Amino acid sequence: SQTIHQWPATLVQPVGSPLSLECTVEGTSNPNLYWYRQAAGRGLQLLFYSIGIDQISSEVPQNLSASRPQDRQFILSSKKLLLSDSGFYLCAWRNGGILGDIQYFGAGTRLSVL
Amino acid sequence: AQTVTQSQPEMSVQEAETVTLSCTYDTSESDYYLFWYKQPPSRQMILVIRQEAYKQQNATENRFSVNFQKAAKSFSLKISDSQLGDAAMYFCAYRSTFGNEKLTFGTGTRLTIIP
């Protein structure tokens, strides 16, 4: 069966420090991968999605970037964190090429920028 | 752009009773997908149910069912025989069938189960 791993679970970082959040999927190949952010008390906002290695689309201009160095690995990064980057970050995947198939989410990373 | 509206920030229901969560959406597309996700205190998003817009029949998953009214652009979730484990934030979400990968979420409804 497929599983999605996301780490770390929580992270406290000072303003101006770099960021690297990692997400990996097991049990499937060529998944579509997604990074979402959830601000406190709000719904999810799509940040990036990827349909293949080195194929990244950005939904919202951010202080963040994403990379997909391997088929089942998706990384969210920042060179210098801002206070506004605080939030809950969720990685998700779905079977690529199957319209309407479900997005499955990881357990999330709670990021606090101080 | 599509929008999803959940007008009930909070709802509560007595254990074993039935509750309905509301969701409306705005789109100019004729074919799309709708989802309800549950987010318990652990914060992981869990799929509850999905509906394909071209299907007139309402989706059902055990105690969870939807009332999909395409013309009214309404997609409500009914939870029957509510259980303590149903307590969570519930998010309605929309996805186009045309190339756009984005799930557009509503702002959520916090459901409390009263023992």
Side-chain angles (χ1 to χ4, degrees):
Chain A
S1 62
Q2 302 90 352
T3 55
I4 179 169
H5 302 281
Q6 193 178 337
W7 67 91
T10 58
L11 191 60
V12 180
Q13 292 284 96
V15 170
S17 64
L19 173 73
S20 180
L21 303 181
E22 189 163 342
C23 172
T24 59
V25 181
E26 296 178 356
T28 188
S29 59
N30 195 31
N32 288 9
L33 297 171
Y34 310 83
W35 278 112
Y36 289 87
R37 179 168 63 195
Q38 184 178 27
R42 303 184 68 175
L44 276 66
Q45 179 186 41
L46 179 65
L47 301 176
F48 301 94
Y49 70 90
S50 171
I51 60 172
I53 293 175
D54 295 330
Q55 300 179 66
I56 311 292
S57 295
S58 174
E59 281 290 311
V60 181
Q62 296 282 346
N63 179 42
L64 303 168
S65 61
S67 61
R68 185 171 176 174
Q70 300 181 42
D71 180 45
R72 291 169 290 172
Q73 183 185 31
F74 205 24
I75 298 171
L76 183 69
S77 304
S78 174
K79 292 182 179 178
K80 288 186 177 181
L81 283 168
L82 305 173
L83 287 174
S84 58
D85 291 324
S86 293
F88 190 64
Y89 290 82
L90 286 152
C91 181
W93 75 276
R94 78 172 183 92
N95 283 319
I98 302 177
L99 282 178
D101 206 358
I102 300 160
Q103 289 188 23
Y104 298 94
F105 288 82
T109 296
R110 185 184 304 276
L111 172 66
S112 299
V113 182
L114 305 176
Chain B
Q2 295 85 12
T3 58
V4 177
T5 301
Q6 292 179 252
S7 59
Q8 306 155 315
E10 296 184 356
M11 292 281 286
S12 61
V13 62
Q14 205 80 29
E15 194 176 2
E17 297 295 312
T18 296
V19 64
T20 298
L21 308 183
S22 301
C23 173
T24 59
Y25 57 94
D26 187 25
T27 183
S28 58
E29 298 174 343
S30 60
D31 200 13
Y32 45 86
Y33 299 89
L34 296 165
F35 304 86
W36 278 99
Y37 279 89
K38 168 185 176 181
Q39 189 178 41
S42 66
R43 301 295 298 271
Q44 183 160 11
M45 297 289 283
I46 302 166
L47 178 74
V48 175
I49 200 165
R50 68 168 172 165
Q51 175 80 41
E52 296 161 277
Y54 68 86
K55 289 186 177 179
Q56 293 186 343
Q57 186 174 4
N58 289 324
T60 299
E61 289 287 343
N62 300 315
R63 297 183 295 108
F64 299 88
S65 61
V66 299
N67 183 4
F68 173 49
Q69 301 290 328
K70 190 173 183 179
K73 296 180 182 175
S74 172
F75 183 60
S76 61
L77 174 70
K78 186 172 81 171
I79 306 174
S80 304
D81 185 25
S82 298
Q83 300 176 2
L84 294 177
D86 295 332
M89 283 288 287
Y90 285 82
F91 291 95
C92 178
Y94 171 103
R95 179 171 176 263
S96 170
T97 59
F98 297 105
N100 192 331
E101 293 286 328
K102 184 165 65 175
L103 272 177
T104 301
F105 284 84
T107 52
T109 297
R110 182 176 301 281
L111 178 65
T112 301
I113 310 297
I114 303 167

